[in-house]
Amino acid sequence: MKYMLLIAEDEAANPMPSEGPAFEAYMAPWAAYTQKLQEAGAMSSGAPLELSHTAKSVRVRDGGRTVQDGPYTDSKEQLGGFYIIEAGSMEEALNWAAECPGAKTGVVEVRPIPGWAE
């Protein structure tokens, strides 16, 4: 079964460096985690997201489109990226989520992807 790991962190409390040795140090555990998923055959896809201030939210009401700057939810943590993984059970997916670097500073939401959506 496929599961989506949605990674949310507080961008203000955990800013990502943009370049140099600090960026490389920040990215090292993410690269190691991605490699571990790939080597286990659990990696389906995944990607980081640009910072939340680049987001736009769209609503259509009564035939009219409204666009709002920023993410839809007003929360302390922002969606920063995702992985889609293959796991034999929710427990296995939760174990993968617990190893995700984002779980140490934010939260990783685990959601099953319905079989009909694959």
Side-chain angles (χ1 to χ4, degrees), residues 13-88:
N14 301 299
M16 182 177 76
S18 59
E19 59 186 46
F23 177 75
E24 292 171 18
Y26 177 87
M27 291 303 295
W30 291 99
Y33 178 68
T34 300
Q35 182 176 356
K36 189 172 182 179
L37 283 168
Q38 291 169 335
E39 289 173 354
M43 179 81 173
S44 188
S45 68
L49 300 174
E50 291 290 341
L51 294 176
S52 64
H53 74 272
T54 65
K56 304 277 186 198
S57 297
V58 177
R59 290 180 182 79
V60 176
R61 302 291 186 273
D62 300 320
R65 181 184 87 162
T66 303
V67 178
Q68 173 186 339
D69 288 340
Y72 168 68
T73 58
D74 184 21
S75 69
K76 186 184 281 190
E77 295 164 326
Q78 296 77 36
L79 184 61
F82 69 93
Y83 286 93
I84 297 177
I85 65 167
E86 294 273 351

